[in-house]
Structure formats: structure tokens, C-alpha cells
Amino acid sequence: MLLLMQLIFILLAIISHEYEAQAAFEPPYSSVVVPVNKHIDAVKPLYSVQILTAYINSQYLHANFLIDLDAPFIWHDCILQWNTFEGSCPNNTLCTYPVSCEEYQCTDVRTIYSYQSPSCPPVTNDSTIPDWGYCTCPVNVVNPITGSCSQALLNYDEFTVNTSDGRNVFTDLYGAYPNAACAPSSTFQSFPANVTGVMALSSSPYALPAYLYDPLKRIVALCLPSNLSAPGILLYGTGPYNLLPHSNVDVRSLLSYTPLIKHPDSFGYFINVSSIVIKTRSIDIPTNSTTKLSTIEPYTTLRTDIYNGVVRRFLKVTQRIPPAKPVAPFGLCFNTSINGTQVSIKVPDVDFSLQDGKKWTVSTANSIKQITKDVACLAFVDGGATSEPAIVIGTFQCEDNFLVFDLENSTFGFSSSLLRKQTSCSNFNFTLTNSS
Ligand SMILES: *[C@@H]1O[C@H](CO)[C@@H](O)[C@H](O)[C@H]1NC(C)=O
Ligand SMILES: *[C@@H]1O[C@H](CO)[C@@H](O)[C@H](O)[C@H]1NC(C)=O
Ligand SMILES: *[C@@H]1O[C@H](CO)[C@@H](O)[C@H](O)[C@H]1NC(C)=O
Ligand SMILES: *[C@@H]1O[C@H](CO)[C@@H](O)[C@H](O)[C@H]1NC(C)=O
Ligand SMILES: *[C@@H]1O[C@H](CO)[C@@H](O)[C@H](O)[C@H]1NC(C)=O
Ligand SMILES: *[C@@H]1O[C@H](CO)[C@@H](O)[C@H](O)[C@H]1NC(C)=O
Ligand SMILES: *[C@@H]1O[C@H](CO)[C@@H](O)[C@H](O)[C@H]1NC(C)=O
Ligand SMILES: *[C@@H]1O[C@H](CO)[C@@H](O)[C@H](O)[C@H]1NC(C)=O
Ligand SMILES: *[C@@H]1O[C@H](CO)[C@@H](O)[C@H](O)[C@H]1NC(C)=O
Ligand SMILES: *[C@@H]1O[C@H](CO)[C@@H](O)[C@H](O)[C@H]1NC(C)=O
Ligand SMILES: *[C@@H]1O[C@H](CO)[C@@H](O)[C@H](O)[C@H]1NC(C)=O
């Protein structure tokens, strides 16, 4: 057992040594890339990344993980095949290796980097694994869709992703070795079909960004697709980032940046919105109101005082559009049918004013949701009088916007709608090429 652990450490040392050697050579890749799919078969629209999680009989198996900017660690539905002693792992199979209850990772994930939910019972140690002599590490996981709590076991895992130069997908693969927990299959019933894991992209040291090393830089670029049949992308690493048809334009040239704000009780991402501007009139955001970015909430949620200000102003600037009876959860809807045929409506931009005069422009594609042929609604919802954070920016507002979480500089980059630049999140060239 001990021998195997030593072997793993030696292997890891060799791997990191190889990376160092590569760094001197300037690797052909600047990032790793995974496709992002949109799902509409769960209670709300959700997005997943596809990762190669297992290598069995010389073949990589794909698994889809829900994208979660808040999760403290990664967990998924995995086959528990303890790699506890030499020869216990079948040939041609990738086995997980348990974290023991005595290791610091176990304590970390149970205490500081744990899910904080009153619905979770206190965790206890599992029984000792025969032939191994240690107890395993049960941890609580909270389903981001339903909020219900379950138990999972923390392991040493292995994920594989493709590398990229920001323009194409390379056949060269990159391995990551995160601690991730295995949860029972039943935990994923409320998830979209074929999505069987949670990919933590937060700033926690147990989220994916913490497990990708030099020469990759700690920069997450996320582009959520609106299209169900053409994937968006998640790139990890520096740019360039290129989208068709302008494959010579680096998307970074379209980005504005604002600081990421630290929040004591969360591993998620926050920015500082000072006002919301609609056709030159601004709705002020009270100071100390926090704005969070979410990949789970479908629509931007505003505290009631802010929501009322936005709706009042929006109503005023859309007077020429016939109203329709509001459809929950929205409070302001429009009639988009004239003589029985659907017409497309165009509304003024909703600008989120940030520090230093930067603004995130939400144009019609991200502010108006078509509900039926007849009805379209302002896709903002009232979060209640005391909602905290005061603003949660949801996924409908992020689709086809290029977003960059730069953990090196602690900044957030955003493009506003790519549709206005004649491209979209579904325009990455996924053609496999050789790096050399
Ligand atoms: C696994 O591989 C080893 C070494 O290549 C071999 O000796 C052993 O018979 C193999 N076991 C199985 C079950 O195929
Ligand atoms: C689990 O066992 C370890 C090692 O014996 C111990 O340090 C830890 O406190 C135990 N945790 C719980 C929740 O019982
Ligand atoms: C990654 O590369 C492998 C091997 O070249 C390929 O089979 C796989 O489809 C690629 N994955 C994606 C998501 O392009
Ligand atoms: C889920 O995966 C199965 C097997 O790969 C496939 O046949 C099915 O179409 C997938 N379902 C969805 C909704 O993607
Ligand atoms: C979605 O993607 C498919 C496949 O690339 C494409 O044919 C279709 O036009 C796209 N739909 C929209 C609305 O862009
Ligand atoms: C904002 O927060 C700071 C620090 O927590 C506090 O000193 C200040 O009074 C707050 N301002 C308002 C308007 O609540
Ligand atoms: C939209 O307006 C038309 C008249 O122009 C009316 O017939 C229809 O019922 C309205 N639909 C809704 C959902 O309000
Ligand atoms: C709706 O239909 C009526 C009667 O056919 C016609 O007079 C009117 O111009 C149409 N309105 C629009 C906006 O097309
Ligand atoms: C947010 O912006 C306001 C005004 O631009 C500034 O006074 C405040 O200090 C900023 N808050 C943080 C946490 O940076
Ligand atoms: C991040 O900081 C480095 C140096 O500290 C700088 O070279 C780089 O341009 C910054 N990146 C962005 C996106 O601002
Ligand atoms: C996608 O990339 C491949 C390989 O670099 C290239 O041959 C192809 O022309 C690109 N596709 C488009 C639409 O530009």
C-alpha cells in the first residue's frame, strides 16, 4: 500500500518535472478546451462540460458535468473501484484511489471547503476498508438543482481533456488529478439526461482551476451556448481565443474587464455593479449591494427595490409594444403576435454599469425571453425585498457572451453579446488537429 502511494508520488513528480521541461520549450498549446452543452430537459436550463473520465480497454469514456461556479469541490457518479493495493485494479482500467479519513484533504473538504447547508447531517467516518487498514472519507454534497444533501466519498481521481491553441482542438491530451467525490447514481435524478457530475469552477482550492498547472495560467473562459445542437466552449489557460467566422480575431480584443470582488462566505464570483442604465436613465444600486454570477440561476434576479426601478423604466421605454398578461416568474411581458403571426421585438439595451466606466450591455437576445409565439417577457425576476446577493446574474443573460474569470489578476472579462459581433458561443472550430 505504502509502496503504491510512493509510486504515485514519484509518478506525479515525474509528470510535474515533464511540465517544467515543456515550459522551457514553449508548449504548442495555450489552453485546454472542453465543449459546453445546453440542456432543457431539467427543471431549468443548465449547462454541462464534457470530460474524459475513464480509460477502459484503451478507450476514453466521456462524462458530462454540470457547470457550477459556486461548488466547493468536484463530484460525480463514478464506479468505485478501489486501487488500494498493487494488482487490485483490473488491467486497462483507471481506478480511483480513496482519500483516507486521516489525510488533510479529508479534513479540508469536510470543514473549510465543504457545502454549507442546514439540510446536511454531520458526517462520520466510514468503516475501515479491508486490506487497506484506513477508513474512507465521506463528505456531504448538495444538489445545486434541488438543494438536497447526500453523501459521497472523496477520492483521488483522474480527468483528461484536450489541449488547444485557442483556435482548434489538439489531439494531444492533458491529464488533471483532482480530489473528487463519488456520489450514488440516484443523486443525479434531477439532473439533465446524461449529466452525472458537478464541475466546480469556483475559487476553492478543491475546484478544477486549482488542479491545472503550469504552463496553463489560471484563467477560465466560459461561453454558454444558446443553441441546443451546437456546443459552446470552456477554455482554461491564456488566450488567444478565436471564434468563427473571424478566426483571425482574438476574442480578448472584444473584452472589457472589471475586478472580481472577494466575498467572505462564498467560493463563487462577484462583481461591483454601480447602476443599471436603460436609455440614459440610471437606476442606482445601493452601495454594498453585491452582484454574483451564477451558472445555475436561469434569469437575473434583482432585489425588489432594484427590480421595481428596472421594470418601471423598461415599461416606459417599451410603451409602443403591446403588453401581455405576465407569465410567472416574470413580471413584465409583451404581446408578440400581430394578426396571428409572430413578430420579433427589439427593446433598448439594459446596461450594467461597473467600476471605471465599464458597462456590460444586455441586448434584446439576452433581455427578452420568448415564452410562446404570442408572448415574450423581460427575463429578470424579483428576488424579494431582502434577497442577498442583491443581484444574481443568471445564465439567460450570459448566453452568447464571452466571459473570462481571470484568477491570476482577479478580474472578470466580458464581451457583451457576441451576436452583435456576428459570432456566437457555438462558433468554436472543434476540428481535431495535430499540434505539430
Ligand atoms: C494484467 O497485466 C499483467 C502484466 O502485463 C499480467 O501479468 C496479468 O496477467 C494481467 N491480468 C489480467 C487479468 O489480464
Ligand atoms: C475520522 O477519523 C480520523 C482519523 O482517525 C479523525 O482524525 C477524525 O476526527 C474522524 N472524523 C470524524 C468525523 O469522526
Ligand atoms: C479529444 O481528443 C481525442 C483524441 O484525439 C478525441 O478522440 C476526442 O474526440 C477529443 N475530444 C473532443 C471533445 O474534441
Ligand atoms: C444519453 O446517452 C445515451 C447513450 O450514450 C444516448 O443514446 C442518448 O441519446 C443520450 N441522451 C441525451 C438526452 O443526450
Ligand atoms: C444551431 O446550430 C445548428 C448546428 O450547427 C445550426 O444548423 C443552427 O442554425 C443553429 N441555430 C441557431 C438558432 O443559430
Ligand atoms: C458598507 O460596508 C462598509 C464595510 O462593511 C460599512 O462600513 C459601510 O457602513 C457600509 N455602507 C452602507 C451604506 O451600508
Ligand atoms: C395579442 O394581441 C392580439 C391582437 O392584436 C390578440 O388577438 C391576442 O389574443 C393577444 N395575445 C395575448 C397573449 O395577449
Ligand atoms: C391585420 O389584418 C387587418 C385585416 O386583415 C389589416 O387591415 C391590418 O393591416 C393587419 N395589421 C397588420 C399590422 O398587418
Ligand atoms: C464598488 O464601486 C463603488 C463605486 O464605484 C466603490 O465606492 C466601492 O468601493 C466598490 N466596492 C468594492 C468592494 O470594490
Ligand atoms: C494580468 O496581469 C499581468 C501582469 O500582472 C498583465 O501582463 C496582464 O495583461 C493582465 N491581464 C489582464 C487580462 O489584464
Ligand atoms: C477549422 O479548422 C480546420 C483545421 O485548422 C480548418 O481546416 C478548417 O478550415 C476550419 N474551419 C473553418 C470553417 O474555418
Side-chain angles (χ1 to χ4, degrees):
M1 209 298 301
L2 210 76
L3 221 138
L4 187 90
M5 272 184 91
Q6 280 170 352
L7 194 75
I8 288 176
F9 282 126
I10 292 166
L11 273 174
L12 284 177
I14 292 171
I15 290 165
S16 60
H17 193 78
E18 272 182 2
Y19 283 142
E20 273 167 34
Q22 278 177 4
F25 284 114
E26 279 284 320
Y29 60 89
S30 53
S31 51
V32 296
V33 64
V34 288
V36 173
N37 286 295
K38 178 177 179 178
H39 306 265
I40 53 164
D41 56 341
V43 64
K44 52 187 161 188
L46 292 161
Y47 307 80
S48 71
V49 282
Q50 195 183 63
I51 308 273
L52 309 169
T53 46
Y55 188 72
I56 294 171
N57 297 326
S58 315
Q59 259 201 310
Y60 280 103
L61 302 183
H62 298 281
N64 298 311
F65 289 71
L66 194 71
I67 296 175
D68 189 343
L69 293 176
D70 281 327
F73 57 89
I74 307 162
W75 47 286
H76 63 129
D77 182 3
C78 23
I79 302 161
L80 293 176
Q81 211 147 25
W82 300 128
N83 187 8
T84 48
F85 57 91
E86 241 178 309
S88 71
C89 181
N91 285 355
N92 269 329
T93 306
L94 198 83
C95 291
T96 46
Y97 185 87
V99 169
S100 101
C101 58
E102 294 185 7
E103 289 177 276
Y104 74 90
Q105 291 96 327
C106 184
T107 312
D108 269 7
V109 170
R110 279 175 166 183
T111 54
I112 315 168
Y113 306 108
S114 63
Y115 279 98
Q116 303 296 336
S117 167
S119 70
C120 289
V123 281
T124 53
N125 284 333
D126 247 16
S127 54
T128 300
I129 299 184
D131 302 327
W132 192 43
Y134 296 102
C135 51
T136 52
C137 180
V139 292
N140 283 321
V141 292
V142 174
N143 181 324
I145 304 166
T146 61
S148 67
C149 191
S150 329
Q151 277 209 341
L153 287 180
L154 194 65
N155 300 298
Y156 293 95
D157 217 322
E158 178 169 347
F159 293 165
T160 307
V161 287
N162 291 67
T163 53
S164 173
D165 58 355
R167 189 184 297 261
N168 280 121
V169 181
F170 288 157
T171 47
D172 302 341
L173 301 173
Y174 180 99
Y177 304 89
N179 287 124
C182 283
S185 306
S186 59
T187 319
F188 303 96
Q189 269 162 11
S190 53
F191 279 48
N194 294 349
V195 177
T196 55
V198 170
M199 183 52 67
L201 293 177
S202 68
S203 61
S204 158
Y206 291 89
L208 186 69
Y211 291 103
L212 301 165
Y213 301 106
D214 263 359
L216 295 175
K217 291 281 175 285
R218 296 193 308 134
I219 302 171
V220 179
L222 180 63
C223 207
L224 300 179
S226 58
N227 194 321
L228 291 169
S229 48
I233 42 162
L234 186 152
L235 288 143
Y236 181 93
T238 54
Y241 316 116
N242 302 95
L243 296 172
L244 295 170
H246 316 292
S247 53
N248 55 339
V249 175
D250 183 349
V251 177
R252 285 180 302 178
S253 68
L254 309 175
L255 304 180
S256 301
Y257 290 90
T258 192
L260 280 170
I261 309 291
K262 292 209 174 12
H263 197 280
D265 312 317
S266 171
F267 303 113
Y269 300 107
F270 295 80
I271 56 172
N272 194 355
V273 175
S274 51
S275 65
I276 296 176
V277 182
I278 303 171
K279 248 189 171 173
T280 71
R281 189 75 56 83
S282 73
I283 297 104
D284 287 329
I285 309 298
T287 45
N288 290 4
S289 308
T290 49
T291 297
K292 177 179 167 163
L293 293 143
S294 173
T295 47
I296 302 296
E297 286 305 322
Y299 309 107
T300 294
T301 302
L302 305 171
R303 201 176 56 206
T304 303
D305 55 321
I306 304 168
Y307 178 81
N308 287 342
V310 167
V311 166
R312 215 174 294 132
R313 179 67 188 148
F314 205 80
L315 195 56
K316 197 158 265 174
V317 300
T318 53
Q319 266 170 347
R320 64 196 160 76
I321 307 173
K325 202 164 149 277
V327 176
F330 307 114
L332 181 59
C333 296
F334 304 98
N335 186 334
T336 57
S337 130
I338 293 176
N339 280 359
T341 51
Q342 185 184 328
V343 293
S344 58
I345 57 171
K346 177 134 180 28
V347 298
D349 292 341
V350 177
D351 288 336
F352 283 76
S353 283
L354 312 167
Q355 266 165 260
D356 308 323
K358 306 290 172 60
K359 63 173 192 206
W360 183 351
T361 295
V362 179
S363 43
T364 308
N366 297 107
S367 66
I368 298 292
K369 161 118 179 150
Q370 195 74 43
I371 311 287
T372 62
K373 197 162 78 61
D374 279 8
V375 179
C377 299
L378 175 66
F380 290 90
V381 298
D382 183 353
T386 57
S387 80
E388 174 50 40
I391 302 177
V392 178
I393 297 183
T395 52
F396 188 76
Q397 277 68 40
C398 294
E399 285 183 353
D400 291 321
N401 281 236
F402 202 92
L403 309 180
V404 171
F405 301 89
D406 184 337
L407 307 184
E408 300 275 344
N409 291 5
S410 206
T411 56
F412 171 68
F414 55 95
S415 66
S416 297
S417 183
L418 292 173
L419 305 179
R420 284 197 173 166
K421 319 256 157 60
Q422 286 73 48
T423 185
S424 77
C425 288
S426 303
N427 278 27
F428 189 74
N429 186 346
F430 277 101
T431 307
L432 270 179
T433 56
N434 282 315
S435 59
S436 47

